[in-house]
Amino acid sequence: MNAVAQIRPYTRQPKPEPAPFSLAMEAGQEEMWAAFRDLPKSGFTPAVLARVTGASVGQAESYLLKLTRNGIAVRLGLNDERNWVYAVPRMGVDPAVYNMRGQPDADYAIRKTLWVGLRHRRETSVAGLWAFAREHVDVTKAKVEKFLKRLVAANFVIEMEEWHNEPATIYALRPKMNTGPLPPRFCEAELVYDVNTRQFFGRGEAHQVAL
């Protein structure tokens, strides 16, 4: 007796339901530096720094260790739970942000200077903002142009060509995007994209990138 293959009729499979998608920003040195300066002078543990910034305990511990080696933080000793306690020496107003290597971060200094110049000028060109920035930081014209172009793409800045008979492109910060003194951070994200359904899935993670 010959076996007869059972052929099931084709049925269109329903498209999968998209998973809830979210995009998270990693805790960066700027958040940890700001919290580090504001935490109690009597001392705090890496777990406390992690909790107020959203960083992992390991990331906070590594950051504090680097700052201690560079004489910026002080390690007081172990608490009752055998966790290291750190403290901040008396510090003056310091515009620098210290990075994960325990050194002043050059990228932050550039972004901060360009942001200050952009906020305080109603209109500017690449050359005009570059001239302002060079008085304060070591920055190339290419980085100034990249800074402005990225803010144009993010709808922070309006790009106007030959404004008021000016031969150069003029840039203006949108009033509603003049949100405060801290400069924007530029990020790239790790995402999962399904070409079939044209949707993002899972949880994305954004990471800061330098100019």
Side-chain angles (χ1 to χ4, degrees), residues 94-185:
D94 188 351
V97 165
Y98 283 78
N99 60 27
M100 295 297 288
R101 297 183 299 275
Q103 301 168 349
D105 185 58
D107 183 71
Y108 175 83
I110 291 172
R111 287 186 292 108
K112 174 72 171 180
T113 301
L114 295 176
W115 182 243
V116 168
L118 189 59
R119 290 184 71 211
H120 289 85
R121 292 164 171 245
R122 293 186 60 186
E123 301 165 2
T124 189
S125 63
V126 172
L129 188 57
W130 186 35
F132 166 81
R134 282 185 299 171
E135 297 178 5
H136 307 279
V137 292
D138 183 16
V139 60
T140 64
K141 187 176 181 180
K143 285 192 174 184
V144 175
E145 187 170 14
K146 183 178 180 182
F147 178 83
L148 290 169
K149 291 292 186 181
R150 293 206 67 167
L151 292 186
V152 168
N155 212 26
F156 272 65
V157 167
I158 303 169
E159 185 178 32
M160 302 170 288
E161 294 186 2
E162 298 184 3
W163 184 250
H164 295 316
N165 297 320
E166 289 284 342
T169 300
I170 300 299
Y171 300 87
L173 180 64
R174 294 180 184 273
K176 68 178 182 179
M177 301 311 295
N178 190 359
T179 54
L182 297 178
R185 294 166 63 186

Side-chain angles (χ1 to χ4, degrees), residues 2 10 21 26 30 34 41 51 59 62 103 109 117-118 127 131 140 144 151 155 168 172 191 207 209:
N2 295 328
Y10 172 77
F21 179 76
E26 65 177 356
E30 292 168 37
K41 307 304 179 190
R51 185 169 64 250
Q59 189 179 16
S62 175
Q103 301 168 349
L118 189 59
T140 64
V144 175
L151 292 186
N155 212 26
L191 307 172
H207 307 277
V209 293

Side-chain angles (χ1 to χ4, degrees), residues 24-33 35-36 39 45-64 100 185 203 205-206:
M25 180 66 201
E26 65 177 356
Q29 59 204 26
E30 292 168 37
E31 290 93 340
M32 287 200 288
W33 176 250
F36 167 79
L39 284 169
T45 64
V48 171
L49 181 61
R51 185 169 64 250
V52 298
T53 61
S56 67
V57 175
Q59 189 179 16
E61 195 166 34
S62 175
Y63 185 65
L64 289 170
M100 295 297 288
R185 294 166 63 186
R203 182 177 184 271
E205 187 77 20

